[in-house]
Amino acid sequence: NAGVMQNPRHLVRRRGQEARLRCSPMKGHSHVYWYRQLPEEGLKFMVYLQKENIIDESGMPKERFSAEFPKEGPSILRIQQVVRGDSAAYFCASSPGQEGEQYFGPGTRLTVT
Amino acid sequence: QKEVEQDPGPLSVPEGAIVSLNCTYSNSAFQYFMWYRQYSRKGPELLMYTYSSGNKEDGRFTAQVDKSSKYISLFIRDSQPSDSATYLCATRDRGSTLGRLYFGRGTQLTVWP
């Protein structure tokens, strides 16, 4: 029973490039959440999606960041024109329902040079 | 004021000790409480999930919630070196932000043999 899968595990981008992070939820889970973890800080909520719908994006920066969870395929977090401040660990979590327990993936560590 | 406050430690204890980890929260609308364990450079792992005030026990772990004082605790009995990790408390409400988790900064625990 595979858990939440994220790829790539490590991503290096130069300033101005685009970063694309993928998340495949656990089998049977249709709710996906993205969180960001900066050094010495806790996890911060970014966005909550269901299949083909954004439920809550109140934690996501208004510019350069977008997320989707298409009918087929993984959820994607896209960061355009990356800056050094985007360097962080990005975690995806999934749950079977809105009130269900959230299970996290191993994360993608983004480094912007 | 942050939604969830957690002392980052670090906390260092000998093997076999009882560990007490604590968080406070500010929003009385928070109804669900979780503890996650995060090993270095890994994703958070769900340890405990509780809804009501009182105690919930699972093996060597006990989660305690006091809604009247907005205080949550995790106790680890007979601590082991393998318990060395960062422990994150998390909570969420049943209102408009249902789904998103609010995390504490995490407490770094070291159990030495």
Side-chain angles (χ1 to χ4, degrees):
Chain A
N1 181 20
V4 178
M5 299 178 70
Q6 290 187 249
N7 67 81
R9 296 291 305 275
H10 301 275
L11 183 61
V12 179
R13 284 287 178 266
R14 292 182 177 172
R15 279 179 297 171
Q17 291 185 319
E18 178 179 287
R20 192 171 295 198
L21 289 61
R22 295 175 184 78
C23 168
S24 295
M26 286 179 70
K27 187 176 181 180
H29 288 192
S30 59
H31 296 247
V32 165
Y33 314 81
W34 286 92
Y35 294 84
R36 178 165 62 177
Q37 188 173 42
L38 292 165
E40 308 304 322
E41 291 190 22
L43 286 153
K44 303 292 185 187
F45 167 83
M46 298 182 73
V47 62
Y48 165 28
L49 311 105
Q50 275 184 274
K51 285 283 187 183
E52 299 184 280
N53 286 306
I54 297 175
I55 306 301
D56 179 2
E57 57 181 347
S58 59
M60 201 147 70
K62 295 288 187 289
E63 298 179 354
R64 302 189 298 108
F65 285 73
S66 62
E68 63 177 11
F69 190 12
K71 187 176 180 180
E72 301 291 338
S75 174
I76 307 283
L77 179 67
R78 186 181 291 108
I79 311 172
Q80 296 177 306
Q81 298 176 312
V82 297
V83 300
R84 289 236 172 96
D86 297 332
S87 295
Y90 291 82
F91 291 96
C92 165
S94 73
S95 69
Q98 196 173 34
E99 296 188 16
E101 300 159 355
Q102 293 185 22
Y103 295 91
F104 281 78
T108 293
R109 279 160 182 81
L110 172 66
T111 302
V112 179
T113 62
Chain B
Q1 183 184 11
K2 286 190 172 183
E3 291 91 356
V4 183
E5 298 279 0
Q6 183 176 10
D7 185 343
L11 185 61
S12 182
V13 302
E15 183 175 356
I18 296 174
V19 175
S20 173
L21 304 165
N22 309 292
C23 291
T24 58
Y25 61 95
S26 57
N27 190 344
S28 57
F30 289 149
Q31 298 292 322
Y32 300 89
F33 306 93
M34 290 130 272
W35 284 95
Y36 285 86
R37 177 174 63 195
Q38 186 175 24
Y39 291 113
S40 180
R41 306 190 70 76
K42 302 289 186 184
E45 172 192 5
L46 182 63
L47 283 177
M48 303 288 278
Y49 181 92
T50 184
Y51 170 73
S52 58
S53 280
N55 293 353
K56 180 178 181 179
E57 191 173 315
D58 184 359
R60 296 185 295 111
F61 299 91
T62 299
Q64 189 174 81
V65 176
D66 182 346
K67 290 185 179 180
S68 62
S69 57
K70 300 189 182 68
Y71 197 83
I72 56 178
S73 301
L74 178 71
F75 299 96
I76 307 174
R77 291 184 300 280
D78 187 25
S79 57
Q80 303 294 311
S82 59
D83 294 329
S84 298
T86 297
Y87 289 81
L88 303 163
C89 62
T91 182
R92 70 177 186 207
D93 68 24
R94 300 193 69 185
S96 60
T97 62
L98 179 63
R100 68 181 295 177
L101 298 182
Y102 297 86
F103 281 89
R105 285 182 59 189
T107 299
Q108 186 179 346
L109 171 68
T110 299
V111 181
W112 43 275

